[in-house]
């Protein structure tokens, strides 16, 4: 077990005990010597962990403590880095910048050994085959989703037929070659999927839609799951 993972495991052990637990018990559960256990506790305390106790008495971690630098295992760091790299490659520019800023914040508080693991992970994301084709601002779409506000869309379907829709935006899906808005369409009285590269104009309306987004998202997932049954069905704008 890597030292960073052992320190995280030690924190998890301490969280499970409400009362002081002896160093011998902790060392036995971790499979390390008592001297190594004492060094690990000293390391955690130096990192800011509110661990009280001493040899022969026992140790306890005060409730509510979170230690960001040690909250990730090596596999979790790899998953995070892979996710960041995917966003940097396939998301729109504001989201890409947000991912880079978030990664910098996480990297800044990691111990040196974990920072090296994060930056040198061998998990890569392949090249993007298409360039951004949107003429609308995806920041506005995401804002409408968060604020549960209606949107007016000037939209072109696959046959280049233009329609004007009022929709309730629910979610924004990112794919390798396109992005898709999931929304309740007032004209269709049903959920529809709108490709962002076919949107010619979007207007954020003042009115909120009458149902909570969380419930709409749940309903869409249920409906989408049913449509994926063997008998099938089609969804589209």
């Amino acid at each position: 077990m890597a030292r960073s993972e052992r320190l995280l495991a030690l924190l998890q052990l301490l969280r499970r005990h409400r009362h002081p637990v002896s160093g011998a018990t902790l060392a036995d559960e971790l499979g390390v010597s008592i001297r190594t256990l004492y060094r690990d506790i000293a390391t955690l305390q130096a990192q800011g962990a509110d661990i009280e106790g001493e040899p022969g008495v026992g140790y306890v971690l005060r409730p509510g403590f979170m230690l960001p630098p040690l909250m990730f295992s090596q596999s979790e760091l790899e998953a995070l880095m892979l996710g960041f790299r995917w966003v940097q490659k396939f998301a729109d520019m504001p989201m890409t910048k947000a991912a880079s800023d978030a990664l910098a914040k996480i990297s800044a508080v990691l111990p040196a050994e974990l920072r090296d693991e994060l930056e040198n992970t061998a998990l890569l994301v392949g090249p993007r085959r298409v360039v951004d084709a949107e003429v609308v601002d995806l920041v506005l779409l995401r804002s409408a989703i968060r604020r549960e506000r209606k949107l007016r869309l000037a939209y072109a379907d696959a046959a280049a037929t233009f329609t004007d829709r009022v929709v309730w935006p629910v979610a924004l899906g990112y794919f390798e070659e396109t992005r898709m808005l999931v929304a309740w369409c007032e004209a269709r009285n049903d959920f529809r999927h709108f490709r962002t590269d076919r949107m010619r104009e979007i207007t954020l309306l003042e009115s909120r839609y009458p149902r909570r987004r969380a419930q709409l998202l749940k309903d869409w997932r249920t409906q989408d799951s049913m449509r994926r049954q063997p008998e099938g069905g089609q969804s589209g704008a």
Side-chain angles (χ1 to χ4, degrees):
M1 180 187 297
R3 186 165 187 264
S4 59
E5 293 181 295
R6 190 177 72 242
L7 292 174
L8 178 58
L10 176 54
L11 275 178
Q12 297 297 89
L13 283 176
L14 288 168
R15 285 194 180 96
R16 291 206 298 266
H17 295 278
R18 295 186 177 182
H19 303 289
V21 57
S22 71
T25 298
L26 293 171
D28 183 62
E29 291 196 51
L30 290 171
V32 299
S33 69
I34 193 67
R35 290 185 61 186
T36 297
L37 185 279
Y38 291 153
R39 286 199 301 268
D40 287 349
I41 286 179
T43 296
L44 290 175
Q45 289 172 329
Q47 291 279 352
D50 190 7
I51 300 174
E52 295 185 358
E54 59 187 57
V57 177
Y59 298 91
V60 62
L61 178 68
R62 288 305 173 192
F65 176 75
M66 297 292 286
L67 191 59
L70 297 169
M71 290 309 295
F72 302 111
S73 67
Q74 184 173 4
S75 295
E76 289 168 341
L77 285 173
E78 289 179 338
L80 280 173
M81 194 64 202
L82 184 62
F84 280 124
R85 286 176 174 172
W86 195 97
V87 170
Q88 289 173 333
K89 187 65 66 68
F90 294 106
D92 54 286
M93 188 60 67
M95 189 62 71
T96 294
K97 183 180 182 303
S100 297
D101 291 345
L103 181 59
K105 290 178 181 178
I106 292 175
S107 181
V109 298
L110 287 175
E113 60 187 273
L114 289 184
R115 189 181 305 119
D116 290 341
E117 291 178 9
L118 180 70
E119 295 174 352
N120 297 317
T121 178
L123 303 183
L124 306 175
V125 175
R128 185 172 183 182
R129 295 187 293 273
V130 296
V131 298
D132 292 350
E134 288 91 359
V135 297
V136 299
D137 187 357
L138 298 189
V139 174
L140 186 60
L141 283 182
R142 291 193 290 268
S143 176
I145 292 170
R146 288 194 300 268
R147 298 165 64 185
E148 300 184 345
R149 295 268 292 277
K150 293 184 181 182
L151 280 175
R152 183 179 299 278
L153 302 181
Y155 189 77
D157 63 16
T161 300
F162 283 84
T163 56
D164 186 70
R165 311 284 188 95
V166 173
V167 302
W168 309 351
V170 175
L172 186 60
Y174 286 79
F175 303 91
E176 289 189 13
E177 298 183 2
T178 189
R179 293 143 192 163
M180 195 83 68
L181 177 69
V182 178
W184 178 269
C185 178
E186 292 188 351
R188 305 297 192 198
N189 196 35
D190 198 359
F191 291 106
R192 287 294 185 268
H193 303 153
F194 300 92
R195 285 178 50 155
T196 57
D197 59 346
R198 293 179 181 169
M199 298 176 184
R200 294 297 171 259
E201 186 178 351
I202 59 175
T203 304
L204 183 64
L205 304 180
E206 290 297 325
S207 55
R208 293 169 58 96
Y209 42 79
R211 298 171 61 193
R212 298 309 304 266
R213 183 176 63 86
Q215 184 60 51
L216 285 170
L217 186 59
K218 181 179 179 180
D219 293 345
W220 169 74
R221 283 173 171 158
T222 299
Q223 187 181 100
D224 187 62
S225 177
M226 294 177 62
R227 284 174 171 169
R228 294 175 186 273
Q229 297 297 319
E231 60 271 17
Q234 286 190 329
S235 63

